Amino acid sequence: QDPTARGYMGITVGQGSLTIERVEPRLPAAKAGLRSGDVLLRVGTLQPQNFEQVIAHVTSFRPGAVVEIEVQRGDERKTFKVRLATRPQEL
């Protein structure tokens, strides 16, 4: 294992938003059940104001760590446990 590896979920959000635009197939966010259109409310203990905060928080964890993600999906709040991976080379 790479001692400097950082956690990775595999999502893309719209510019200036916390709404998930894309969930990379077969990566941690997809495996946990996150979907396009979900709005990030909480990532671990962080209640983010922007996606840069989400990236900084997620990359502070090592691959293999489990992070609880809370999203707004339509009228519902949903919570998922995401086991972080290493960012694939091709991305």
Side-chain angles (χ1 to χ4, degrees):
Q1 288 278 2
D2 177 355
T4 62
R6 302 183 307 172
Y8 183 72
M9 284 197 303
I11 61 171
T12 306
V13 301
Q15 187 171 357
S17 88
L18 290 168
T19 302
I20 297 173
E21 276 190 349
R22 177 167 165 74
V23 178
E24 295 293 335
R26 297 178 304 281
L27 290 179
K31 289 178 183 176
L34 291 167
R35 296 186 195 156
S36 297
D38 289 348
V39 179
L40 297 168
L41 301 176
R42 184 173 53 81
V43 179
T45 57
L46 175 73
Q47 292 185 316
Q49 304 302 307
N50 57 57
F51 194 56
E52 288 72 28
Q53 291 176 330
V54 174
I55 293 168
H57 193 61
V58 168
T59 59
S60 73
F61 292 97
R62 305 269 302 141
V66 176
V67 178
E68 197 171 87
I69 310 289
E70 185 177 2
V71 300
Q72 185 78 38
R73 181 179 290 168
D75 298 340
E76 295 181 85
R77 283 181 170 229
K78 293 186 165 280
T79 304
F80 300 89
K81 291 193 184 308
V82 178
R83 181 175 299 279
L84 302 177
T86 304
R87 183 182 172 114
Q89 291 286 348
E90 66 271 12
L91 294 178

